[in-house]
Amino acid sequence: RAQEHARAAIHGERPDSRVARRGGVGLLRSTVAPGSGAQLPEQQQRGGAPGAPVTDAHSPFSLEGQVALVTGGSQGIGLGIAESLGAAGARLLLVNRRKAKGEEAASALAARGITALPFAADVSRQAEAEAAVARALREWGRLDILVNNAAVLTRKLAQEMTEADLELELAINVKGVFFCAVAASRPMMSRRRGKIINLASVGALIGLPERAFYSATKAAVAQLTRSLALEWAPHGINVN
């Protein structure tokens, strides 16, 4: 799953493409023909060492010179996405709430030849989301890709959910996605290019027991993504 999400960043058309002309909404099209056998990391196709950064700028998988910010990038799916983007040559800012965990993930990626910096922030706070984007800009002077992966899931029956449970899921899963997207959109608009990938869930489409409110937040992410795609496509930003 992590590689599938990373491919969205790698294969997406720019918003002046056919997808954007339909309003910027929809899945990013692959530049590799179906059934071609292409996969990440690309070095495995060339016989290179797995995990080593891509250096071929003409490769359809190359993100050489680009900068990606991944929220919740220190573990799980987020770390897998970060690793795949880094293997394709992107420089990474890993954003999560736990400083030590972020430093550990960044060190592990660095050991594989991937440039990654940790940044501790609570994305549910607008100022901290903006600070994360500012950190990437100070370090590398650009931001090409935002992956909104950070999320909280509280598995309880609906009648057992507390107000605090609801507020936490709403803050991280919806407000955090919105704050990071808006913060990232500003430098992307100035360059008239950028890709924002928001992770939703199957819960946005079907009912899931013990995940009623979580599913509602992911449905909100899906609708937010559609709306931002329409709003920002004219500015060169692709939102999926």
Side-chain angles (χ1 to χ4, degrees):
R1 291 180 59 190
Q3 289 185 351
E4 291 173 359
H5 293 309
R7 286 179 183 178
I10 294 169
H11 292 311
E13 290 186 324
R14 290 189 56 188
D16 54 359
S17 67
R18 189 173 68 181
V19 172
R21 290 196 295 271
R22 296 200 302 265
V25 183
L27 294 176
L28 299 170
R29 292 196 314 173
S30 172
T31 58
V32 176
S36 65
Q39 60 183 356
L40 287 174
E42 193 228 9
Q43 292 82 358
Q44 293 178 3
Q45 301 168 48
R46 299 198 305 242
V54 172
T55 56
D56 181 2
H58 300 291
S59 165
F61 294 141
S62 178
L63 295 176
E64 196 70 29
Q66 297 193 38
V67 174
L69 188 159
V70 183
T71 69
S74 65
Q75 61 185 2
I77 292 175
L79 180 56
I81 292 172
E83 184 175 4
S84 294
L85 294 174
R91 294 163 289 181
L92 307 170
L93 188 73
L94 308 179
V95 179
N96 71 300
R97 290 183 293 174
R98 292 178 289 178
K99 181 179 179 180
K101 193 72 175 177
E103 291 174 344
E104 179 184 343
S107 295
L109 292 172
R112 300 194 61 181
I114 294 171
T115 300
L117 292 178
F119 188 83
D122 180 351
V123 296
S124 71
R125 298 181 180 275
Q126 185 173 10
E128 295 189 32
E130 291 174 348
V133 170
R135 180 68 180 90
L137 295 176
R138 285 198 307 272
E139 185 68 26
W140 296 297
R142 62 189 290 173
L143 179 61
D144 302 277
I145 301 164
L146 166 67
V147 180
N148 270 317
N149 165 75
V152 173
L153 167 60
T154 303
R155 294 196 62 167
K156 292 182 180 179
L157 295 172
Q159 293 171 335
E160 297 173 354
M161 291 286 288
T162 66
E163 184 175 359
D165 293 332
L166 301 182
E167 289 177 347
L168 179 61
E169 288 193 352
L170 181 63
I172 301 295
N173 300 3
V174 182
K175 290 173 62 178
V177 169
F178 181 78
F179 289 151
C180 288
V182 169
S185 71
R186 295 190 176 102
M188 290 179 178
M189 280 186 185
S190 68
R191 299 179 64 235
R192 294 197 62 80
R193 64 180 300 166
K195 298 189 184 301
I196 297 175
I197 299 97
N198 300 328
L199 272 68
S201 166
V202 66
L205 303 174
I206 64 173
L208 295 173
E210 298 182 350
R211 283 161 282 185
F213 196 74
Y214 171 82
S215 297
T217 66
K218 289 302 185 177
V221 169
Q223 187 59 26
L224 177 63
T225 300
R226 297 183 185 100
S227 297
L228 293 181
L230 288 168
E231 188 171 324
W232 292 344
H235 301 282
I237 301 174
N238 188 276
V239 186
N240 281 271

